[in-house]
Amino acid sequence: MNFIASIRVTLKESVLDPQGSAVVHALHSLSFTSVSDVRIGKYMEVSFHADDEQTARAQVLRMCDQLLTNPVIETYSFTLAEVRE
Amino acid sequence: MNFIASIRVTLKESVLDPQGSAVVHALHSLSFTSVSDVRIGKYMEVSFHADDEQTARAQVLRMCDQLLTNPVIETYSFTLAEVRE
């Protein structure tokens, strides 16, 4: 079975986000003054093969823990979609 | 009303993604050999105020078009959630 994992990686709440703060100021300068906060993270779409959905979920967890995220400062969530031929 | 927009920005299909290719090789070296493709993009959570949902949607579209995305090489999608006090 073919799958696509859509992974959202964000900084933990306790971690300062200077990039996000810069975007808030830029949005304010473009008159989007109602914006109170921006958090910037990574978005990844991983296409891969697995025997079944449970195996696929386990693989995504391992990929995130081993390479795609930094557990010290980041958290992540993902959705999994099967890709039919 | 308070809202959070969760915005996913990805490179257009026609645009080369060297970062994604590098991640594919890294995953293969960690024995995730079933991975066929990785696309890397930006994920942003924008907290803001708007009078109603329709106005909120229009604001997100304008923020994306004016600052948060590069329409030449990127596409985006977003979900909108109301934040209750």
Side-chain angles (χ1 to χ4, degrees):
Chain A
M1 294 167 70
N2 291 317
F3 294 92
I4 288 187
S6 303
I7 304 165
R8 292 169 301 278
V9 182
T10 51
L11 291 171
K12 289 183 176 175
E13 287 295 326
S14 57
V15 178
L16 201 63
D17 184 357
Q19 203 179 356
S21 307
V23 171
V24 171
H25 290 302
L27 285 171
H28 284 177
S29 67
L30 290 171
S31 70
F32 294 105
T33 50
S34 73
V35 171
S36 53
D37 188 38
V38 171
R39 304 286 291 179
I40 307 274
K42 290 176 285 192
Y43 175 69
M44 293 173 268
E45 289 179 349
V46 179
S47 307
F48 66 107
H49 177 83
D51 293 338
D52 52 61
E53 183 167 335
Q54 196 177 350
T55 311
R57 272 184 198 287
Q59 270 197 48
V60 175
L61 289 171
R62 283 204 319 277
M63 286 191 240
C64 287
D65 294 342
Q66 290 183 29
L67 181 74
L68 301 180
T69 70
N70 176 347
V72 175
I73 60 168
E74 292 173 335
T75 60
Y76 66 90
S77 59
F78 68 91
T79 52
L80 195 62
E82 187 189 343
V83 179
R84 297 193 187 270
E85 298 303 312
Chain B
M1 296 166 72
N2 291 317
F3 293 93
I4 288 188
S6 303
I7 304 165
R8 292 168 302 275
V9 181
T10 51
L11 292 171
K12 288 183 176 174
E13 288 294 326
S14 55
V15 177
L16 201 63
D17 183 358
Q19 203 178 356
S21 307
V23 171
V24 170
H25 291 302
L27 286 170
H28 285 177
S29 68
L30 290 170
S31 70
F32 295 105
T33 50
S34 73
V35 172
S36 54
D37 188 36
V38 172
R39 304 286 291 179
I40 307 273
K42 291 177 284 192
Y43 176 68
M44 292 173 268
E45 289 179 350
V46 179
S47 305
F48 66 107
H49 177 85
D51 294 337
D52 53 61
E53 183 167 336
Q54 195 177 350
T55 312
R57 273 186 195 286
Q59 270 197 49
V60 175
L61 289 171
R62 283 205 317 278
M63 287 191 239
C64 287
D65 294 341
Q66 289 183 30
L67 181 74
L68 302 179
T69 72
N70 176 347
V72 174
I73 59 168
E74 292 173 337
T75 59
Y76 66 91
S77 59
F78 69 91
T79 52
L80 195 63
E82 186 190 345
V83 179
R84 295 191 188 273
E85 297 306 311

Short mmCIF file of all heavy atoms in Angstrom, two decimals, chain B residues 33-75:
data_model
loop_
_atom_site.label_atom_id
_atom_site.label_comp_id
_atom_site.label_asym_id
_atom_site.label_seq_id
_atom_site.Cartn_x
_atom_site.Cartn_y
_atom_site.Cartn_z
N THR B 33 13.83 2.54 3.52
CA THR B 33 14.03 2.43 2.06
C THR B 33 12.72 2.50 1.28
O THR B 33 12.72 2.61 0.07
CB THR B 33 14.74 1.10 1.77
OG1 THR B 33 14.03 0.06 2.46
CG2 THR B 33 16.19 1.14 2.26
N SER B 34 11.58 2.43 1.97
CA SER B 34 10.30 2.45 1.25
C SER B 34 9.87 3.89 0.92
O SER B 34 8.86 4.11 0.26
CB SER B 34 9.21 1.80 2.11
OG SER B 34 8.87 2.66 3.18
N VAL B 35 10.67 4.88 1.38
CA VAL B 35 10.32 6.28 1.09
C VAL B 35 10.66 6.60 -0.36
O VAL B 35 11.80 6.38 -0.79
CB VAL B 35 11.08 7.23 2.04
CG1 VAL B 35 10.87 8.69 1.63
CG2 VAL B 35 10.62 7.02 3.49
N SER B 36 9.69 7.12 -1.10
CA SER B 36 9.93 7.43 -2.53
C SER B 36 10.07 8.93 -2.78
O SER B 36 10.72 9.35 -3.73
CB SER B 36 8.78 6.88 -3.37
OG SER B 36 7.54 7.37 -2.87
N ASP B 37 9.46 9.77 -1.93
CA ASP B 37 9.55 11.21 -2.17
C ASP B 37 9.27 11.97 -0.88
O ASP B 37 8.49 11.50 -0.03
CB ASP B 37 8.50 11.63 -3.24
CG ASP B 37 8.68 13.09 -3.67
OD1 ASP B 37 9.84 13.54 -3.76
OD2 ASP B 37 7.65 13.77 -3.89
N VAL B 38 9.94 13.11 -0.73
CA VAL B 38 9.68 14.00 0.41
C VAL B 38 9.58 15.43 -0.14
O VAL B 38 10.44 15.85 -0.94
CB VAL B 38 10.80 13.94 1.47
CG1 VAL B 38 10.60 15.02 2.53
CG2 VAL B 38 10.85 12.56 2.12
N ARG B 39 8.52 16.15 0.23
CA ARG B 39 8.38 17.56 -0.14
C ARG B 39 8.39 18.38 1.15
O ARG B 39 7.65 18.06 2.10
CB ARG B 39 7.07 17.82 -0.90
CG ARG B 39 6.87 16.98 -2.14
CD ARG B 39 7.72 17.40 -3.30
NE ARG B 39 7.31 18.69 -3.86
CZ ARG B 39 7.95 19.24 -4.89
NH1 ARG B 39 9.00 18.66 -5.44
NH2 ARG B 39 7.54 20.40 -5.39
N ILE B 40 9.27 19.37 1.18
CA ILE B 40 9.42 20.18 2.40
C ILE B 40 8.78 21.54 2.18
O ILE B 40 8.98 22.16 1.12
CB ILE B 40 10.92 20.39 2.71
CG1 ILE B 40 11.66 19.06 2.75
CG2 ILE B 40 11.11 21.20 3.99
CD1 ILE B 40 11.67 18.35 4.04
N GLY B 41 8.00 22.00 3.17
CA GLY B 41 7.40 23.33 3.05
C GLY B 41 7.36 24.02 4.39
O GLY B 41 8.02 23.60 5.35
N LYS B 42 6.56 25.07 4.46
CA LYS B 42 6.43 25.87 5.71
C LYS B 42 5.05 25.59 6.32
O LYS B 42 4.07 25.37 5.59
CB LYS B 42 6.52 27.36 5.41
CG LYS B 42 7.90 27.83 4.98
CD LYS B 42 7.88 29.32 4.62
CE LYS B 42 7.25 29.59 3.26
NZ LYS B 42 7.46 30.95 2.75
N TYR B 43 5.04 25.62 7.66
CA TYR B 43 3.76 25.50 8.38
C TYR B 43 3.65 26.69 9.31
O TYR B 43 4.60 27.00 10.05
CB TYR B 43 3.74 24.19 9.18
CG TYR B 43 2.50 24.04 10.03
CD1 TYR B 43 1.26 23.86 9.44
CD2 TYR B 43 2.58 24.11 11.42
CE1 TYR B 43 0.12 23.74 10.21
CE2 TYR B 43 1.44 23.98 12.20
CZ TYR B 43 0.22 23.80 11.60
OH TYR B 43 -0.91 23.70 12.37
N MET B 44 2.56 27.42 9.23
CA MET B 44 2.41 28.63 10.07
C MET B 44 1.07 28.61 10.79
O MET B 44 0.06 28.22 10.19
CB MET B 44 2.50 29.88 9.19
CG MET B 44 3.87 30.08 8.60
SD MET B 44 3.92 31.43 7.42
CE MET B 44 3.60 30.54 5.90
N GLU B 45 1.09 29.02 12.05
CA GLU B 45 -0.14 29.19 12.81
C GLU B 45 -0.27 30.67 13.13
O GLU B 45 0.59 31.24 13.81
CB GLU B 45 -0.12 28.34 14.09
CG GLU B 45 -0.24 26.84 13.79
CD GLU B 45 -0.19 25.99 15.05
OE1 GLU B 45 0.14 26.53 16.13
OE2 GLU B 45 -0.46 24.78 14.94
N VAL B 46 -1.30 31.30 12.60
CA VAL B 46 -1.50 32.73 12.77
C VAL B 46 -2.73 32.96 13.66
O VAL B 46 -3.83 32.49 13.33
CB VAL B 46 -1.71 33.44 11.41
CG1 VAL B 46 -1.93 34.94 11.60
CG2 VAL B 46 -0.52 33.18 10.48
N SER B 47 -2.49 33.63 14.79
CA SER B 47 -3.60 33.95 15.72
C SER B 47 -4.03 35.38 15.45
O SER B 47 -3.17 36.29 15.42
CB SER B 47 -3.12 33.81 17.17
OG SER B 47 -2.59 32.52 17.39
N PHE B 48 -5.33 35.59 15.25
CA PHE B 48 -5.80 36.94 14.94
C PHE B 48 -7.27 37.07 15.27
O PHE B 48 -7.96 36.10 15.58
CB PHE B 48 -5.54 37.26 13.46
CG PHE B 48 -6.35 36.43 12.48
CD1 PHE B 48 -7.41 36.97 11.77
CD2 PHE B 48 -6.05 35.08 12.28
CE1 PHE B 48 -8.15 36.21 10.88
CE2 PHE B 48 -6.77 34.30 11.39
CZ PHE B 48 -7.82 34.87 10.68
N HIS B 49 -7.75 38.33 15.20
CA HIS B 49 -9.14 38.63 15.52
C HIS B 49 -9.85 39.04 14.24
O HIS B 49 -9.26 39.71 13.37
CB HIS B 49 -9.17 39.79 16.54
CG HIS B 49 -10.56 40.23 16.87
ND1 HIS B 49 -11.31 39.60 17.84
CD2 HIS B 49 -11.34 41.20 16.34
CE1 HIS B 49 -12.50 40.19 17.89
NE2 HIS B 49 -12.56 41.15 17.00
N ALA B 50 -11.11 38.65 14.11
CA ALA B 50 -11.93 39.11 12.97
C ALA B 50 -13.39 39.10 13.42
O ALA B 50 -13.77 38.41 14.37
CB ALA B 50 -11.75 38.18 11.77
N ASP B 51 -14.20 39.91 12.72
CA ASP B 51 -15.61 40.04 13.13
C ASP B 51 -16.41 38.77 12.90
O ASP B 51 -17.31 38.42 13.66
CB ASP B 51 -16.26 41.22 12.40
CG ASP B 51 -15.61 42.54 12.83
OD1 ASP B 51 -15.04 42.55 13.96
OD2 ASP B 51 -15.63 43.51 12.06
N ASP B 52 -16.08 38.04 11.80
CA ASP B 52 -16.80 36.79 11.51
C ASP B 52 -15.91 35.89 10.66
O ASP B 52 -14.83 36.30 10.21
CB ASP B 52 -18.10 37.09 10.76
CG ASP B 52 -17.85 37.95 9.53
OD1 ASP B 52 -17.10 37.49 8.63
OD2 ASP B 52 -18.32 39.10 9.49
N GLU B 53 -16.38 34.66 10.40
CA GLU B 53 -15.54 33.68 9.72
C GLU B 53 -15.21 34.10 8.28
O GLU B 53 -14.09 33.95 7.81
CB GLU B 53 -16.20 32.30 9.73
CG GLU B 53 -15.30 31.26 9.08
CD GLU B 53 -15.73 29.83 9.33
OE1 GLU B 53 -16.42 29.58 10.34
OE2 GLU B 53 -15.36 28.96 8.52
N GLN B 54 -16.20 34.68 7.60
CA GLN B 54 -15.98 35.08 6.21
C GLN B 54 -14.88 36.15 6.12
O GLN B 54 -13.96 36.05 5.31
CB GLN B 54 -17.29 35.62 5.62
CG GLN B 54 -17.25 35.71 4.10
CD GLN B 54 -18.59 36.17 3.54
OE1 GLN B 54 -19.59 36.25 4.27
NE2 GLN B 54 -18.62 36.48 2.25
N THR B 55 -14.93 37.10 7.03
CA THR B 55 -13.91 38.15 7.07
C THR B 55 -12.55 37.54 7.41
O THR B 55 -11.52 37.90 6.83
CB THR B 55 -14.28 39.20 8.15
OG1 THR B 55 -15.64 39.58 7.99
CG2 THR B 55 -13.38 40.41 8.07
N ALA B 56 -12.58 36.57 8.31
CA ALA B 56 -11.33 35.90 8.72
C ALA B 56 -10.70 35.20 7.52
O ALA B 56 -9.49 35.31 7.28
CB ALA B 56 -11.62 34.90 9.84
N ARG B 57 -11.52 34.48 6.77
CA ARG B 57 -11.00 33.76 5.57
C ARG B 57 -10.38 34.75 4.59
O ARG B 57 -9.29 34.52 4.06
CB ARG B 57 -12.13 32.99 4.88
CG ARG B 57 -12.35 31.65 5.42
CD ARG B 57 -13.35 30.77 4.72
NE ARG B 57 -13.64 29.70 5.65
CZ ARG B 57 -12.78 28.70 5.89
NH1 ARG B 57 -11.60 28.65 5.24
NH2 ARG B 57 -13.07 27.78 6.78
N ALA B 58 -11.06 35.86 4.36
CA ALA B 58 -10.55 36.86 3.40
C ALA B 58 -9.22 37.42 3.89
O ALA B 58 -8.29 37.62 3.11
CB ALA B 58 -11.59 37.96 3.24
N GLN B 59 -9.11 37.63 5.21
CA GLN B 59 -7.84 38.16 5.76
C GLN B 59 -6.70 37.16 5.54
O GLN B 59 -5.59 37.56 5.16
CB GLN B 59 -8.01 38.41 7.26
CG GLN B 59 -8.49 39.81 7.59
CD GLN B 59 -8.25 40.14 9.06
OE1 GLN B 59 -7.14 39.95 9.57
NE2 GLN B 59 -9.28 40.63 9.72
N VAL B 60 -6.98 35.88 5.77
CA VAL B 60 -5.90 34.88 5.60
C VAL B 60 -5.44 34.85 4.15
O VAL B 60 -4.24 34.81 3.87
CB VAL B 60 -6.39 33.49 6.05
CG1 VAL B 60 -5.32 32.42 5.77
CG2 VAL B 60 -6.73 33.49 7.53
N LEU B 61 -6.39 34.89 3.23
CA LEU B 61 -6.03 34.89 1.80
C LEU B 61 -5.13 36.10 1.49
O LEU B 61 -4.10 35.95 0.82
CB LEU B 61 -7.29 34.93 0.94
CG LEU B 61 -8.14 33.66 0.93
CD1 LEU B 61 -9.47 33.90 0.21
CD2 LEU B 61 -7.39 32.52 0.24
N ARG B 62 -5.49 37.25 2.02
CA ARG B 62 -4.68 38.46 1.74
C ARG B 62 -3.30 38.36 2.39
O ARG B 62 -2.28 38.68 1.78
CB ARG B 62 -5.40 39.71 2.21
CG ARG B 62 -6.54 40.16 1.28
CD ARG B 62 -6.84 41.66 1.37
NE ARG B 62 -6.86 42.12 2.75
CZ ARG B 62 -7.90 42.00 3.58
NH1 ARG B 62 -9.00 41.39 3.15
NH2 ARG B 62 -7.87 42.45 4.83
N MET B 63 -3.23 37.85 3.64
CA MET B 63 -1.94 37.68 4.31
C MET B 63 -1.04 36.75 3.50
O MET B 63 0.15 37.01 3.31
CB MET B 63 -2.13 37.10 5.71
CG MET B 63 -2.71 38.03 6.73
SD MET B 63 -2.61 37.32 8.39
CE MET B 63 -4.33 37.28 8.86
N CYS B 64 -1.62 35.66 3.00
CA CYS B 64 -0.82 34.70 2.23
C CYS B 64 -0.35 35.33 0.93
O CYS B 64 0.82 35.23 0.56
CB CYS B 64 -1.64 33.45 1.94
SG CYS B 64 -1.89 32.39 3.38
N ASP B 65 -1.26 36.00 0.24
CA ASP B 65 -0.91 36.59 -1.06
C ASP B 65 0.09 37.74 -0.92
O ASP B 65 0.96 37.92 -1.78
CB ASP B 65 -2.17 37.05 -1.79
CG ASP B 65 -3.07 35.86 -2.16
OD1 ASP B 65 -2.55 34.72 -2.19
OD2 ASP B 65 -4.27 36.07 -2.39
N GLN B 66 -0.02 38.51 0.18
CA GLN B 66 0.83 39.70 0.30
C GLN B 66 2.18 39.42 0.95
O GLN B 66 3.16 40.12 0.71
CB GLN B 66 0.11 40.78 1.11
CG GLN B 66 -1.05 41.42 0.36
CD GLN B 66 -1.70 42.55 1.14
OE1 GLN B 66 -1.04 43.23 1.95
NE2 GLN B 66 -3.00 42.73 0.94
N LEU B 67 2.23 38.38 1.84
CA LEU B 67 3.49 38.22 2.59
C LEU B 67 3.93 36.77 2.80
O LEU B 67 5.08 36.43 2.61
CB LEU B 67 3.35 38.87 3.98
CG LEU B 67 4.61 38.79 4.85
CD1 LEU B 67 5.66 39.77 4.35
CD2 LEU B 67 4.29 39.04 6.31
N LEU B 68 2.99 35.92 3.19
CA LEU B 68 3.39 34.62 3.74
C LEU B 68 3.80 33.60 2.67
O LEU B 68 4.45 32.60 2.98
CB LEU B 68 2.24 34.05 4.59
CG LEU B 68 1.80 34.94 5.76
CD1 LEU B 68 0.65 34.30 6.52
CD2 LEU B 68 2.97 35.24 6.70
N THR B 69 3.43 33.81 1.42
CA THR B 69 3.81 32.84 0.38
C THR B 69 4.36 33.56 -0.84
O THR B 69 4.09 34.74 -1.06
CB THR B 69 2.59 32.00 -0.07
OG1 THR B 69 1.72 32.84 -0.85
CG2 THR B 69 1.84 31.42 1.10
N ASN B 70 5.12 32.79 -1.63
CA ASN B 70 5.64 33.32 -2.89
C ASN B 70 4.86 32.63 -4.01
O ASN B 70 5.14 31.49 -4.37
CB ASN B 70 7.13 32.99 -3.00
CG ASN B 70 7.70 33.43 -4.35
OD1 ASN B 70 6.93 33.75 -5.27
ND2 ASN B 70 9.01 33.44 -4.45
N PRO B 71 3.87 33.35 -4.58
CA PRO B 71 2.98 32.71 -5.55
C PRO B 71 3.68 32.19 -6.81
O PRO B 71 3.13 31.35 -7.53
CB PRO B 71 1.98 33.82 -5.90
CG PRO B 71 2.58 35.09 -5.44
CD PRO B 71 3.54 34.76 -4.34
N VAL B 72 4.91 32.64 -7.05
CA VAL B 72 5.61 32.18 -8.26
C VAL B 72 6.00 30.71 -8.10
O VAL B 72 5.87 29.91 -9.02
CB VAL B 72 6.87 33.04 -8.52
CG1 VAL B 72 7.68 32.47 -9.70
CG2 VAL B 72 6.48 34.49 -8.77
N ILE B 73 6.46 30.32 -6.91
CA ILE B 73 6.97 28.95 -6.74
C ILE B 73 6.20 28.14 -5.70
O ILE B 73 6.46 26.96 -5.51
CB ILE B 73 8.47 28.95 -6.35
CG1 ILE B 73 8.69 29.71 -5.04
CG2 ILE B 73 9.33 29.50 -7.48
CD1 ILE B 73 10.08 29.50 -4.45
N GLU B 74 5.28 28.80 -4.97
CA GLU B 74 4.61 28.08 -3.88
C GLU B 74 3.10 28.05 -4.05
O GLU B 74 2.51 28.95 -4.67
CB GLU B 74 4.95 28.76 -2.53
CG GLU B 74 6.40 28.62 -2.12
CD GLU B 74 6.75 29.45 -0.88
OE1 GLU B 74 6.03 30.44 -0.59
OE2 GLU B 74 7.75 29.10 -0.20
N THR B 75 2.49 27.01 -3.47
CA THR B 75 1.03 26.97 -3.32
C THR B 75 0.74 26.83 -1.83
O THR B 75 1.65 26.45 -1.06
CB THR B 75 0.41 25.77 -4.05
OG1 THR B 75 0.99 24.58 -3.49
CG2 THR B 75 0.67 25.79 -5.54
#
